[in-house]
Amino acid sequence: MELLRVVWRQYRWPFIGVMALSFASAALGIGLIAFINQRLIEVADRSLSVLPEFLGLLVLLMAVTLGSQLALTTLGHHFVFRLRGEFIKRLLDTPIARIESMGSASLLAGLTSDVRNITIAFVRLPELVQGIILTLGSAVWLAWLSPKMLLITAVWLVVTILGGFVLVARVYRHMAVLRETEDRLYQDYQTVLEGRKELALNRERAEYIYQQIYLPDAVHYRKNIICADTYHLSAVNWSNIMMLGAIGLVFWMANSLGWANTNVAATYSLTLLFLRTPLLSAVGALPTLLSAQVAFNKLKQFSLADYQPEFPRPGASKPWQTLELRDVVFHYPDNQFHVGPINLTLKRGEKVFLIGGNGSGKSTLAMLLTGLYQPVSGSILLDGQPVDDSNMDAYRQLFSAVFTDVWLFETLLGPRGETADPALVDEWLQRLKMAGKLQIDEGKINNLNLSKGQKKRVALLLALAEQRDIILLDEWAADQDPHFRREFYQVLLPLIQEKGKTIFAISHDDHYFIHADRLLEMRQGLLSELTGSEREQASRDAVARTAN
């Protein structure tokens, strides 16, 4: 399994140590059977030393077996910890466009279901390892007792194992189908949770979502999980019954064929009984390992960025004067929307407003400007110097942004990830009219149960605390009441500009376009600047203009 190969590459020496403990455990188990055979069956030693020796071997076997299992389980949890951490880091390093194309439902399923299945597999892995090692070790011991009986018994066990593998293979196929179905179920859960208000208002839509979308996925999941469990239980029962049959076969070979005496037959039976539980546990552990392999393959399919343990820390940004998008073109993977070529020059300290209808490309332009989307062609220039992969992280350090789908973080951070300036935070808490509504303790916001407009104010506070050069605001004022909207355009934006910040704001508030240094418009993926009569017309009625 590729999963185990990855463990071998990352934890080779600890894995070798764990295997050594497992072999020691198997050797002690076989030694205990040999002790019983030689001291309690064949010779029937009646000395008082037999019991302490026997109990000592039991305690030693228990300690070594437990130690090997705990060591393997601990190794597995270390691997899962590393796998989860690498997955999160790769998510953070993967381009935004790639993340958006995958969808949050499948990624959440990967972080929860897939990682959980891998964790469960490593918890069960000791059972598989112990079963395999004990079986191989016991085979050596049984061959020493009677090669002919071992040959027949081995054939019987091979048939047992092959039958189990045939059944387990069907478990694997259903597990693969289940994993795909889980993605759809996560999407259904997301629809119910995020659309709960609309579904509460429209019971017909709620019924449709439940009957036509959720139930088919749930029924498909139920069908496959029942099939998987059926084959799994069949494999366990097949192995259980065949192991009991092996004991009867041993006594038939000893008594009817005369291949061994009763003592050897008893030892064979005792060994098979000893193997029964580890072997059944090993067969039972196989589905979890197969499920883990499915999960591991699913995680690989995301094609995230390569893992890099470090977080690059660009140096302090140098003073800049102009930022230019030159012939920038971008299109989404489905090629249904195309932006560009875009030519735009921003000057330091400007206050620029961007208008445009829905679907005109405003938010896409914002993503390109901030470096979150990579252009298909064209270039971004900072003071005439091209921005590429080598300095993209440093370029993004110029921006703080509040997007329409705002997400609030609890911790206020200042420049370079340091603690935010308390005086600056207090000043903007007052100006944003949030001083009595937020509880901030050592730079951490304790209550974020706020209205949408208040959340936008907190998001702006977080952005201003970072003290970056450019503030990008995507429809920030849309959720504010009329009084605070006027305060935002007439007082707050000029104050931000006075502090040396460059402002790029997406807006539909035509009454306040006069406060912009420049007015830009996106229309069908193309950018233009409005001046003169065009700007006056837009300032009078932006809605009428974007509708044309």
Side-chain angles (χ1 to χ4, degrees):
M1 292 176 65
E2 185 177 359
L3 184 60
L4 294 180
R5 286 198 295 270
V6 173
V7 176
W8 172 257
R9 288 197 301 267
Q10 295 181 353
Y11 296 96
R12 179 167 302 176
W13 290 111
F15 191 77
I16 291 173
V18 168
M19 290 299 101
L21 276 175
S22 298
F23 278 112
S25 173
L28 280 170
I30 296 166
L32 183 62
I33 295 175
F35 181 88
I36 294 173
N37 178 61
Q38 294 175 4
R39 302 288 296 277
L40 301 177
I41 295 177
E42 292 184 356
V43 178
D45 190 345
R46 293 180 175 84
S47 65
L48 295 178
S49 63
V50 172
L51 182 61
E53 291 175 13
F54 177 69
L55 293 178
L57 280 174
L58 278 179
V59 172
L60 184 60
L61 175 62
M62 183 182 297
V64 175
T65 302
L66 180 61
S68 65
Q69 292 176 341
L70 286 176
L72 188 54
T73 301
T74 302
L75 177 62
H77 285 305
H78 276 281
F79 173 75
V80 171
F81 171 81
R82 178 171 177 171
L83 180 68
R84 183 187 287 115
E86 288 185 1
F87 189 78
I88 291 292
K89 181 58 167 62
R90 291 172 66 197
L91 268 177
L92 292 171
D93 293 344
T94 300
I96 297 295
R98 171 64 183 160
I99 298 294
E100 292 176 346
S101 69
M102 288 184 287
S104 59
S106 61
L107 290 171
L108 284 173
L111 282 168
T112 54
S113 178
D114 290 333
V115 173
R116 182 180 67 249
N117 287 339
I118 294 173
T119 304
I120 293 172
F122 275 104
V123 172
R124 298 293 304 275
L125 184 59
E127 299 174 9
L128 180 66
V129 173
Q130 289 284 337
I132 293 173
I133 293 176
L134 281 173
T135 300
L136 295 176
S138 298
V140 175
W141 164 246
L142 294 177
W144 182 77
L145 291 175
S146 175
K148 290 191 295 184
M149 288 179 61
L150 173 64
L151 180 61
I152 302 302
T153 306
V155 171
W156 184 275
L157 291 180
V158 166
V159 172
T160 302
I161 293 171
L162 287 178
F165 270 115
V166 169
L167 294 170
V168 168
R170 294 181 178 271
V171 176
Y172 178 81
R173 287 202 292 270
H174 287 287
M175 287 291 184
V177 175
L178 283 172
R179 181 57 190 84
E180 297 299 327
T181 308
E182 279 187 336
D183 278 353
R184 297 198 297 273
L185 282 174
Y186 269 89
Q187 184 66 52
D188 298 342
Y189 301 155
Q190 197 172 31
T191 299
V192 171
L193 291 173
E194 297 187 4
R196 58 191 180 278
K197 295 188 291 292
E198 293 83 352
L199 295 177
L201 291 173
N202 190 329
R203 301 309 292 169
E204 292 82 3
R205 182 180 295 279
E207 181 182 7
Y208 176 82
I209 293 294
Y210 182 79
Q211 297 286 353
Q212 304 300 323
I213 296 179
Y214 164 72
L215 276 184
D217 291 338
V219 168
H220 190 59
Y221 185 91
R222 180 187 64 189
K223 174 185 174 183
N224 281 279
I225 193 68
I226 289 175
C227 288
D229 286 343
T230 299
Y231 286 118
H232 174 219
L233 292 173
S234 298
V236 172
N237 282 289
W238 162 264
S239 303
N240 192 7
I241 292 171
M242 291 295 284
M243 288 297 291
L244 289 175
I247 295 173
L249 180 65
V250 164
F251 278 100
W252 178 80
M253 287 186 292
N255 297 328
S256 298
L257 300 181
W259 287 1
N261 57 39
T262 304
N263 288 341
V264 172
T267 303
Y268 254 81
S269 299
L270 183 62
T271 305
L272 291 175
L273 285 173
F274 176 71
L275 282 177
R276 180 184 171 195
T277 299
L279 199 58
L280 291 178
S281 297
V283 173
L286 272 176
T288 63
L289 292 171
L290 295 175
S291 179
Q293 184 62 48
V294 172
F296 187 72
N297 291 339
K298 191 68 178 180
L299 292 178
K300 286 182 60 179
Q301 290 175 8
F302 286 124
S303 299
L304 302 177
D306 293 335
Y307 175 66
Q308 300 292 337
E310 69 280 351
F311 282 86
R313 290 295 183 94
S317 57
K318 299 178 181 179
W320 61 277
Q321 298 302 319
T322 61
L323 189 161
E324 180 183 359
L325 303 186
R326 182 180 296 175
D327 297 326
V328 166
V329 174
F330 179 83
H331 57 75
Y332 289 91
D334 55 13
N335 288 318
Q336 293 185 0
F337 185 68
H338 182 91
V339 172
I342 292 175
N343 289 283
L344 168 66
T345 301
L346 287 181
K347 297 179 181 178
R348 187 182 184 91
E350 281 188 313
K351 181 167 53 180
V352 177
F353 287 2
L354 174 66
I355 67 172
N358 291 334
S360 61
K362 303 185 304 298
S363 295
T364 303
L365 174 58
M367 299 293 278
L368 288 167
L369 182 65
T370 53
L372 296 178
Y373 283 175
Q374 303 301 310
V376 174
S377 62
S379 56
I380 302 175
L381 305 174
L382 191 65
D383 287 335
Q385 299 299 314
V387 176
D388 52 28
D389 291 342
S390 64
N391 56 3
M392 180 58 72
D393 284 332
Y395 171 77
R396 289 175 183 152
Q397 301 300 306
L398 297 174
F399 294 89
S400 288
V402 180
F403 296 105
T404 52
D405 53 345
V406 60
W407 179 264
L408 296 183
F409 298 96
E410 295 180 341
T411 306
L412 288 157
L413 294 179
R416 295 174 296 281
E418 299 172 356
T419 304
D421 182 358
L424 180 68
V425 171
D426 290 341
E427 175 190 354
W428 283 104
L429 277 174
Q430 298 294 333
R431 294 189 181 279
L432 292 168
K433 306 292 192 288
M434 295 296 293
K437 297 181 175 64
L438 287 186
Q439 299 174 5
I440 300 179
D441 184 16
E442 296 182 354
K444 184 176 182 179
I445 303 172
N446 294 327
N447 59 319
L448 290 174
N449 187 18
L450 306 167
S451 68
K452 194 170 183 179
Q454 290 173 330
K455 287 182 178 179
K456 286 285 188 73
R457 299 188 198 185
V458 174
L460 181 56
L461 173 66
L462 289 166
L464 292 170
E466 294 173 351
Q467 300 186 45
R468 304 226 172 144
D469 289 350
I470 305 174
I471 305 294
L472 186 143
L473 305 170
D474 191 350
E475 299 287 359
W476 187 90
D479 301 300
Q480 306 301 323
D481 59 72
H483 172 75
F484 197 81
R485 186 177 303 177
R486 182 172 65 248
E487 180 89 2
F488 171 70
Y489 284 106
Q490 295 182 351
V491 178
L492 297 185
L493 286 186
L495 181 60
I496 295 172
Q497 189 178 25
E498 287 176 9
K499 294 181 178 294
K501 307 301 180 185
T502 303
I503 300 171
F504 190 92
I506 299 174
S507 174
H508 286 304
D509 296 321
D510 45 21
H511 296 303
Y512 302 104
F513 289 171
I514 58 173
H515 299 290
D517 298 329
R518 295 163 60 198
L519 186 63
L520 308 178
E521 181 184 30
M522 283 293 291
R523 187 184 289 268
Q524 297 181 350
L526 297 175
L527 179 68
S528 61
E529 182 170 355
L530 304 182
T531 58
S533 60
E534 286 186 319
R535 174 166 177 167
E536 292 177 3
Q537 179 187 357
S539 299
R540 286 195 301 269
D541 194 352
V543 175
R545 178 174 180 83
T546 56
N548 293 332

